[in-house]
Amino acid sequence: MEQAIFEERRDQIHRKGEGPFELACNRDSLAGAVSQRACVFCGSRVVLYPIADALHLVHGPIGCAVYTWDIRGALSSGPELHRLSFSTDLQERDVIFGGEKKLKTALLELITRHKPNAAFVYATCIVGIIGDDVNAVCRDVAATTGIPVIPVQSEGFKGNKREGYAAACKALFTLAGTGDTSDISPMSVNILGDFNLAGEIWIIREYFEKMGVQVVANITGDGRVADVRRCHGAGLNIVQCSGSTMELAKMMEEKFGTPFLRVSYLGIEDMADSLYAVADHFKHLDPGIVERTQKLVREELGVLLPKLKEYRKDLEGKKAAVYVGGAFKAFSLIKAFRHLGMKVVLVGSQTGTKEDYEELASICDPGTVIVDDSNPLELSKFVKELDVDLFVGGVKERPIAHKLGVGFCDHNHERKEALEGFVGMLNFAKEVHASATSPIWRFVPRREAMAKAIKEQETAKRAAGGEGI
């Protein structure tokens, strides 16, 4: 099984308890390792795409436009322009002679037809190679149409998905500070790093409304251009997916003085702690917010905890593997599994930082395998070695789990059930229970072989006991 680990990647794998914690991370993927990471363009697309009243135009070959609404499923309560995928469809002739004219023509036609409130133009790998002046085209079209036309510098060969996050934050920052803030309450927040998968941001907004906190801008799930333009008027930025939008929060703090908090809406403790942190931030303005928040959490837990006990009866002692895009999810999932009586034996992320992994190691059990920027070969090795009952990941991890005969829970792009908030924890428990306890896993070869081995061991013990009488 050792052949499953490339020598160059050994320092990106650590088993807790085997020496001091050291994990190399935040570096380019090893060539040929088939990383689960995505490209720079994908990172920018993930962050910006949920802005529902903006035009999103991919300047590049048609293949890049595969990153559409359908791979993310960010829901909108109003316009759905973000569900349409537009591309300049660069061909060989455009690569040779340049694609600027094609880009300008496409922008003018699309803006006239769809009347967006802003347009984002994504530069892809080939655009970076041929040197199209995307910025100049965007300035020209913005002057002609009167709406913001924002270039997103997400060309390939400059890094990985994390660089795409940075490009998206810079694009969003050009909008911040350009809108009216006269009707914004001092007790107000921007929700950063939530993409409204399965309507999750609506759950979180409802919690804040019950606390008496105004939500100014969703950045970016169910987002609107006008809200982003006035987001600098909020009293606090709350950042969930810190890898994707932390840079925006830092830029806003530097320019507008807006403080920020890192939060997570996944699992019981982290959801409650996030609400309490916001209440604590605003209690000098309204001391009653603390009591309202306590009442909200108490009511939600009163409904949730009795139901979780029922699922825990069947899940107690089972083992889980977690491999996600951002490390913040892993923290919350480890805690969530403990509420279900399950143990996380393998955990990792695509874009974690040194600080993320140090925090992750501090909450893991001894023996837990921690990986950075893993690949299918490694993940398969550890899932089999650790005898995992359930794998939590995204679309690229699902085939690994199913081929190995392991239950799978989608915690990324394609899910249709909300997993944030207290109601999300209940949905998570339901899905984990249905996946991990499905009778089908008894019939996969790995499980059959294991059951046979256990039966043989029990028979041998009984025989040995009989000989001793």
Side-chain angles (χ1 to χ4, degrees), residues 374-399:
S374 195
N375 57 66
L377 204 60
E378 290 173 1
L379 293 172
S380 299
K381 163 188 159 53
F382 289 123
V383 165
K384 288 188 285 188
E385 176 190 314
L386 300 168
D387 190 27
V388 167
D389 297 289
L390 182 78
F391 196 161
V392 176
V395 64
K396 287 175 283 190
E397 288 74 49
R398 179 187 282 111

PDB file of all heavy atoms in Angstrom, residues 374-399:
ATOM      1  N   SER A 374      -4.849  16.112  -1.251  1.00  0.00           N
ATOM      2  CA  SER A 374      -4.705  14.681  -1.512  1.00  0.00           C
ATOM      3  C   SER A 374      -5.154  14.325  -2.925  1.00  0.00           C
ATOM      4  O   SER A 374      -5.585  15.172  -3.707  1.00  0.00           O
ATOM      5  CB  SER A 374      -5.498  13.883  -0.476  1.00  0.00           C
ATOM      6  OG  SER A 374      -5.121  12.531  -0.477  1.00  0.00           O
ATOM      7  N   ASN A 375      -5.065  13.032  -3.251  1.00  0.00           N
ATOM      8  CA  ASN A 375      -5.440  12.538  -4.571  1.00  0.00           C
ATOM      9  C   ASN A 375      -6.180  11.216  -4.417  1.00  0.00           C
ATOM     10  O   ASN A 375      -6.193  10.617  -3.332  1.00  0.00           O
ATOM     11  CB  ASN A 375      -4.196  12.377  -5.453  1.00  0.00           C
ATOM     12  CG  ASN A 375      -3.159  11.461  -4.823  1.00  0.00           C
ATOM     13  OD1 ASN A 375      -3.386  10.276  -4.656  1.00  0.00           O
ATOM     14  ND2 ASN A 375      -2.011  12.039  -4.449  1.00  0.00           N
ATOM     15  N   PRO A 376      -6.825  10.724  -5.477  1.00  0.00           N
ATOM     16  CA  PRO A 376      -7.640   9.507  -5.344  1.00  0.00           C
ATOM     17  C   PRO A 376      -6.880   8.293  -4.827  1.00  0.00           C
ATOM     18  O   PRO A 376      -7.426   7.494  -4.064  1.00  0.00           O
ATOM     19  CB  PRO A 376      -8.138   9.272  -6.779  1.00  0.00           C
ATOM     20  CG  PRO A 376      -8.142  10.617  -7.403  1.00  0.00           C
ATOM     21  CD  PRO A 376      -6.969  11.336  -6.815  1.00  0.00           C
ATOM     22  N   LEU A 377      -5.620   8.140  -5.225  1.00  0.00           N
ATOM     23  CA  LEU A 377      -4.832   6.991  -4.787  1.00  0.00           C
ATOM     24  C   LEU A 377      -4.639   7.007  -3.275  1.00  0.00           C
ATOM     25  O   LEU A 377      -4.827   5.990  -2.590  1.00  0.00           O
ATOM     26  CB  LEU A 377      -3.479   7.005  -5.503  1.00  0.00           C
ATOM     27  CG  LEU A 377      -2.745   5.665  -5.654  1.00  0.00           C
ATOM     28  CD1 LEU A 377      -3.593   4.678  -6.439  1.00  0.00           C
ATOM     29  CD2 LEU A 377      -1.399   5.874  -6.342  1.00  0.00           C
ATOM     30  N   GLU A 378      -4.254   8.158  -2.746  1.00  0.00           N
ATOM     31  CA  GLU A 378      -4.052   8.281  -1.301  1.00  0.00           C
ATOM     32  C   GLU A 378      -5.361   8.106  -0.531  1.00  0.00           C
ATOM     33  O   GLU A 378      -5.425   7.390   0.472  1.00  0.00           O
ATOM     34  CB  GLU A 378      -3.463   9.653  -0.965  1.00  0.00           C
ATOM     35  CG  GLU A 378      -2.036   9.858  -1.404  1.00  0.00           C
ATOM     36  CD  GLU A 378      -1.571  11.281  -1.184  1.00  0.00           C
ATOM     37  OE1 GLU A 378      -2.353  12.120  -0.679  1.00  0.00           O
ATOM     38  OE2 GLU A 378      -0.406  11.564  -1.531  1.00  0.00           O
ATOM     39  N   LEU A 379      -6.398   8.796  -1.003  1.00  0.00           N
ATOM     40  CA  LEU A 379      -7.676   8.720  -0.302  1.00  0.00           C
ATOM     41  C   LEU A 379      -8.196   7.282  -0.269  1.00  0.00           C
ATOM     42  O   LEU A 379      -8.692   6.807   0.765  1.00  0.00           O
ATOM     43  CB  LEU A 379      -8.695   9.647  -0.966  1.00  0.00           C
ATOM     44  CG  LEU A 379      -8.403  11.148  -0.855  1.00  0.00           C
ATOM     45  CD1 LEU A 379      -9.375  11.947  -1.716  1.00  0.00           C
ATOM     46  CD2 LEU A 379      -8.476  11.628   0.592  1.00  0.00           C
ATOM     47  N   SER A 380      -8.051   6.565  -1.383  1.00  0.00           N
ATOM     48  CA  SER A 380      -8.491   5.168  -1.436  1.00  0.00           C
ATOM     49  C   SER A 380      -7.703   4.309  -0.445  1.00  0.00           C
ATOM     50  O   SER A 380      -8.272   3.461   0.249  1.00  0.00           O
ATOM     51  CB  SER A 380      -8.318   4.613  -2.850  1.00  0.00           C
ATOM     52  OG  SER A 380      -9.100   5.328  -3.775  1.00  0.00           O
ATOM     53  N   LYS A 381      -6.402   4.537  -0.397  1.00  0.00           N
ATOM     54  CA  LYS A 381      -5.549   3.778   0.524  1.00  0.00           C
ATOM     55  C   LYS A 381      -6.007   3.935   1.964  1.00  0.00           C
ATOM     56  O   LYS A 381      -6.189   2.956   2.692  1.00  0.00           O
ATOM     57  CB  LYS A 381      -4.095   4.242   0.391  1.00  0.00           C
ATOM     58  CG  LYS A 381      -3.195   3.827   1.566  1.00  0.00           C
ATOM     59  CD  LYS A 381      -1.841   4.457   1.492  1.00  0.00           C
ATOM     60  CE  LYS A 381      -1.127   4.487   2.846  1.00  0.00           C
ATOM     61  NZ  LYS A 381      -1.046   3.194   3.520  1.00  0.00           N
ATOM     62  N   PHE A 382      -6.228   5.178   2.385  1.00  0.00           N
ATOM     63  CA  PHE A 382      -6.562   5.412   3.784  1.00  0.00           C
ATOM     64  C   PHE A 382      -7.997   4.985   4.113  1.00  0.00           C
ATOM     65  O   PHE A 382      -8.271   4.530   5.231  1.00  0.00           O
ATOM     66  CB  PHE A 382      -6.343   6.880   4.134  1.00  0.00           C
ATOM     67  CG  PHE A 382      -4.895   7.283   4.180  1.00  0.00           C
ATOM     68  CD1 PHE A 382      -4.408   8.305   3.386  1.00  0.00           C
ATOM     69  CD2 PHE A 382      -4.006   6.609   5.011  1.00  0.00           C
ATOM     70  CE1 PHE A 382      -3.072   8.668   3.415  1.00  0.00           C
ATOM     71  CE2 PHE A 382      -2.668   6.966   5.052  1.00  0.00           C
ATOM     72  CZ  PHE A 382      -2.199   8.001   4.254  1.00  0.00           C
ATOM     73  N   VAL A 383      -8.912   5.135   3.164  1.00  0.00           N
ATOM     74  CA  VAL A 383     -10.296   4.698   3.410  1.00  0.00           C
ATOM     75  C   VAL A 383     -10.323   3.195   3.672  1.00  0.00           C
ATOM     76  O   VAL A 383     -11.021   2.719   4.580  1.00  0.00           O
ATOM     77  CB  VAL A 383     -11.203   5.067   2.210  1.00  0.00           C
ATOM     78  CG1 VAL A 383     -12.528   4.314   2.281  1.00  0.00           C
ATOM     79  CG2 VAL A 383     -11.468   6.567   2.191  1.00  0.00           C
ATOM     80  N   LYS A 384      -9.536   2.437   2.896  1.00  0.00           N
ATOM     81  CA  LYS A 384      -9.489   0.981   3.104  1.00  0.00           C
ATOM     82  C   LYS A 384      -8.725   0.627   4.380  1.00  0.00           C
ATOM     83  O   LYS A 384      -9.175  -0.214   5.163  1.00  0.00           O
ATOM     84  CB  LYS A 384      -8.834   0.319   1.890  1.00  0.00           C
ATOM     85  CG  LYS A 384      -9.711   0.328   0.643  1.00  0.00           C
ATOM     86  CD  LYS A 384      -9.129  -0.497  -0.487  1.00  0.00           C
ATOM     87  CE  LYS A 384      -7.969   0.210  -1.157  1.00  0.00           C
ATOM     88  NZ  LYS A 384      -7.512  -0.518  -2.384  1.00  0.00           N
ATOM     89  N   GLU A 385      -7.593   1.256   4.566  1.00  0.00           N
ATOM     90  CA  GLU A 385      -6.760   0.943   5.735  1.00  0.00           C
ATOM     91  C   GLU A 385      -7.477   1.223   7.048  1.00  0.00           C
ATOM     92  O   GLU A 385      -7.373   0.458   8.008  1.00  0.00           O
ATOM     93  CB  GLU A 385      -5.469   1.771   5.662  1.00  0.00           C
ATOM     94  CG  GLU A 385      -4.554   1.621   6.861  1.00  0.00           C
ATOM     95  CD  GLU A 385      -3.423   2.638   6.856  1.00  0.00           C
ATOM     96  OE1 GLU A 385      -2.800   2.824   5.781  1.00  0.00           O
ATOM     97  OE2 GLU A 385      -3.165   3.246   7.908  1.00  0.00           O
ATOM     98  N   LEU A 386      -8.233   2.323   7.099  1.00  0.00           N
ATOM     99  CA  LEU A 386      -8.894   2.739   8.332  1.00  0.00           C
ATOM    100  C   LEU A 386     -10.304   2.182   8.454  1.00  0.00           C
ATOM    101  O   LEU A 386     -10.991   2.473   9.427  1.00  0.00           O
ATOM    102  CB  LEU A 386      -8.930   4.271   8.392  1.00  0.00           C
ATOM    103  CG  LEU A 386      -7.545   4.951   8.371  1.00  0.00           C
ATOM    104  CD1 LEU A 386      -7.679   6.450   8.148  1.00  0.00           C
ATOM    105  CD2 LEU A 386      -6.795   4.668   9.663  1.00  0.00           C
ATOM    106  N   ASP A 387     -10.734   1.393   7.470  1.00  0.00           N
ATOM    107  CA  ASP A 387     -12.049   0.742   7.490  1.00  0.00           C
ATOM    108  C   ASP A 387     -13.172   1.749   7.736  1.00  0.00           C
ATOM    109  O   ASP A 387     -13.953   1.646   8.677  1.00  0.00           O
ATOM    110  CB  ASP A 387     -12.085  -0.359   8.548  1.00  0.00           C
ATOM    111  CG  ASP A 387     -13.340  -1.211   8.438  1.00  0.00           C
ATOM    112  OD1 ASP A 387     -13.895  -1.317   7.319  1.00  0.00           O
ATOM    113  OD2 ASP A 387     -13.772  -1.759   9.477  1.00  0.00           O
ATOM    114  N   VAL A 388     -13.250   2.723   6.860  1.00  0.00           N
ATOM    115  CA  VAL A 388     -14.202   3.822   6.997  1.00  0.00           C
ATOM    116  C   VAL A 388     -15.626   3.368   6.648  1.00  0.00           C
ATOM    117  O   VAL A 388     -15.828   2.585   5.713  1.00  0.00           O
ATOM    118  CB  VAL A 388     -13.767   4.992   6.081  1.00  0.00           C
ATOM    119  CG1 VAL A 388     -14.857   6.029   5.938  1.00  0.00           C
ATOM    120  CG2 VAL A 388     -12.489   5.623   6.623  1.00  0.00           C
ATOM    121  N   ASP A 389     -16.608   3.857   7.392  1.00  0.00           N
ATOM    122  CA  ASP A 389     -18.019   3.548   7.123  1.00  0.00           C
ATOM    123  C   ASP A 389     -18.693   4.614   6.274  1.00  0.00           C
ATOM    124  O   ASP A 389     -19.679   4.325   5.596  1.00  0.00           O
ATOM    125  CB  ASP A 389     -18.786   3.428   8.447  1.00  0.00           C
ATOM    126  CG  ASP A 389     -18.278   2.292   9.308  1.00  0.00           C
ATOM    127  OD1 ASP A 389     -18.520   1.134   8.942  1.00  0.00           O
ATOM    128  OD2 ASP A 389     -17.627   2.566  10.338  1.00  0.00           O
ATOM    129  N   LEU A 390     -18.182   5.843   6.317  1.00  0.00           N
ATOM    130  CA  LEU A 390     -18.811   6.941   5.594  1.00  0.00           C
ATOM    131  C   LEU A 390     -17.748   7.933   5.141  1.00  0.00           C
ATOM    132  O   LEU A 390     -16.857   8.284   5.907  1.00  0.00           O
ATOM    133  CB  LEU A 390     -19.827   7.669   6.492  1.00  0.00           C
ATOM    134  CG  LEU A 390     -20.590   8.815   5.822  1.00  0.00           C
ATOM    135  CD1 LEU A 390     -21.693   8.266   4.934  1.00  0.00           C
ATOM    136  CD2 LEU A 390     -21.184   9.758   6.859  1.00  0.00           C
ATOM    137  N   PHE A 391     -17.861   8.381   3.903  1.00  0.00           N
ATOM    138  CA  PHE A 391     -16.936   9.366   3.342  1.00  0.00           C
ATOM    139  C   PHE A 391     -17.734  10.640   3.072  1.00  0.00           C
ATOM    140  O   PHE A 391     -18.741  10.622   2.371  1.00  0.00           O
ATOM    141  CB  PHE A 391     -16.350   8.824   2.036  1.00  0.00           C
ATOM    142  CG  PHE A 391     -15.113   9.530   1.544  1.00  0.00           C
ATOM    143  CD1 PHE A 391     -14.271   8.922   0.631  1.00  0.00           C
ATOM    144  CD2 PHE A 391     -14.782  10.806   1.976  1.00  0.00           C
ATOM    145  CE1 PHE A 391     -13.125   9.553   0.155  1.00  0.00           C
ATOM    146  CE2 PHE A 391     -13.645  11.455   1.524  1.00  0.00           C
ATOM    147  CZ  PHE A 391     -12.819  10.821   0.600  1.00  0.00           C
ATOM    148  N   VAL A 392     -17.261  11.759   3.635  1.00  0.00           N
ATOM    149  CA  VAL A 392     -17.882  13.054   3.387  1.00  0.00           C
ATOM    150  C   VAL A 392     -16.953  13.854   2.485  1.00  0.00           C
ATOM    151  O   VAL A 392     -15.782  14.060   2.801  1.00  0.00           O
ATOM    152  CB  VAL A 392     -18.114  13.832   4.699  1.00  0.00           C
ATOM    153  CG1 VAL A 392     -18.681  15.211   4.399  1.00  0.00           C
ATOM    154  CG2 VAL A 392     -19.061  13.075   5.608  1.00  0.00           C
ATOM    155  N   GLY A 393     -17.476  14.299   1.337  1.00  0.00           N
ATOM    156  CA  GLY A 393     -16.652  15.055   0.405  1.00  0.00           C
ATOM    157  C   GLY A 393     -17.499  15.761  -0.620  1.00  0.00           C
ATOM    158  O   GLY A 393     -18.648  16.135  -0.351  1.00  0.00           O
ATOM    159  N   GLY A 394     -16.935  15.929  -1.810  1.00  0.00           N
ATOM    160  CA  GLY A 394     -17.636  16.603  -2.896  1.00  0.00           C
ATOM    161  C   GLY A 394     -17.801  15.689  -4.088  1.00  0.00           C
ATOM    162  O   GLY A 394     -17.605  14.473  -4.003  1.00  0.00           O
ATOM    163  N   VAL A 395     -18.111  16.290  -5.221  1.00  0.00           N
ATOM    164  CA  VAL A 395     -18.447  15.510  -6.406  1.00  0.00           C
ATOM    165  C   VAL A 395     -17.305  14.608  -6.862  1.00  0.00           C
ATOM    166  O   VAL A 395     -17.532  13.519  -7.397  1.00  0.00           O
ATOM    167  CB  VAL A 395     -18.896  16.467  -7.536  1.00  0.00           C
ATOM    168  CG1 VAL A 395     -17.760  17.394  -7.958  1.00  0.00           C
ATOM    169  CG2 VAL A 395     -19.425  15.698  -8.725  1.00  0.00           C
ATOM    170  N   LYS A 396     -16.061  15.031  -6.636  1.00  0.00           N
ATOM    171  CA  LYS A 396     -14.921  14.233  -7.103  1.00  0.00           C
ATOM    172  C   LYS A 396     -14.583  13.080  -6.162  1.00  0.00           C
ATOM    173  O   LYS A 396     -13.892  12.140  -6.546  1.00  0.00           O
ATOM    174  CB  LYS A 396     -13.695  15.139  -7.289  1.00  0.00           C
ATOM    175  CG  LYS A 396     -13.805  16.049  -8.501  1.00  0.00           C
ATOM    176  CD  LYS A 396     -12.661  17.023  -8.603  1.00  0.00           C
ATOM    177  CE  LYS A 396     -12.826  18.172  -7.638  1.00  0.00           C
ATOM    178  NZ  LYS A 396     -11.867  19.268  -7.858  1.00  0.00           N
ATOM    179  N   GLU A 397     -15.080  13.161  -4.927  1.00  0.00           N
ATOM    180  CA  GLU A 397     -14.819  12.079  -3.972  1.00  0.00           C
ATOM    181  C   GLU A 397     -15.895  10.994  -4.009  1.00  0.00           C
ATOM    182  O   GLU A 397     -15.662   9.884  -3.537  1.00  0.00           O
ATOM    183  CB  GLU A 397     -14.697  12.635  -2.549  1.00  0.00           C
ATOM    184  CG  GLU A 397     -13.438  13.427  -2.275  1.00  0.00           C
ATOM    185  CD  GLU A 397     -13.449  14.803  -2.910  1.00  0.00           C
ATOM    186  OE1 GLU A 397     -14.458  15.533  -2.746  1.00  0.00           O
ATOM    187  OE2 GLU A 397     -12.465  15.163  -3.584  1.00  0.00           O
ATOM    188  N   ARG A 398     -17.067  11.318  -4.539  1.00  0.00           N
ATOM    189  CA  ARG A 398     -18.159  10.337  -4.549  1.00  0.00           C
ATOM    190  C   ARG A 398     -17.769   9.022  -5.244  1.00  0.00           C
ATOM    191  O   ARG A 398     -18.021   7.932  -4.701  1.00  0.00           O
ATOM    192  CB  ARG A 398     -19.407  10.927  -5.211  1.00  0.00           C
ATOM    193  CG  ARG A 398     -20.559   9.926  -5.251  1.00  0.00           C
ATOM    194  CD  ARG A 398     -21.743  10.424  -6.048  1.00  0.00           C
ATOM    195  NE  ARG A 398     -22.533  11.369  -5.284  1.00  0.00           N
ATOM    196  CZ  ARG A 398     -22.625  12.667  -5.561  1.00  0.00           C
ATOM    197  NH1 ARG A 398     -21.973  13.160  -6.598  1.00  0.00           N
ATOM    198  NH2 ARG A 398     -23.367  13.455  -4.838  1.00  0.00           N
ATOM    199  N   PRO A 399     -17.161   9.065  -6.455  1.00  0.00           N
ATOM    200  CA  PRO A 399     -16.803   7.790  -7.100  1.00  0.00           C
ATOM    201  C   PRO A 399     -15.827   6.954  -6.272  1.00  0.00           C
ATOM    202  O   PRO A 399     -15.884   5.718  -6.304  1.00  0.00           O
ATOM    203  CB  PRO A 399     -16.163   8.236  -8.428  1.00  0.00           C
ATOM    204  CG  PRO A 399     -16.685   9.612  -8.668  1.00  0.00           C
ATOM    205  CD  PRO A 399     -16.847  10.225  -7.314  1.00  0.00           C
TER     206      PRO A 399
END
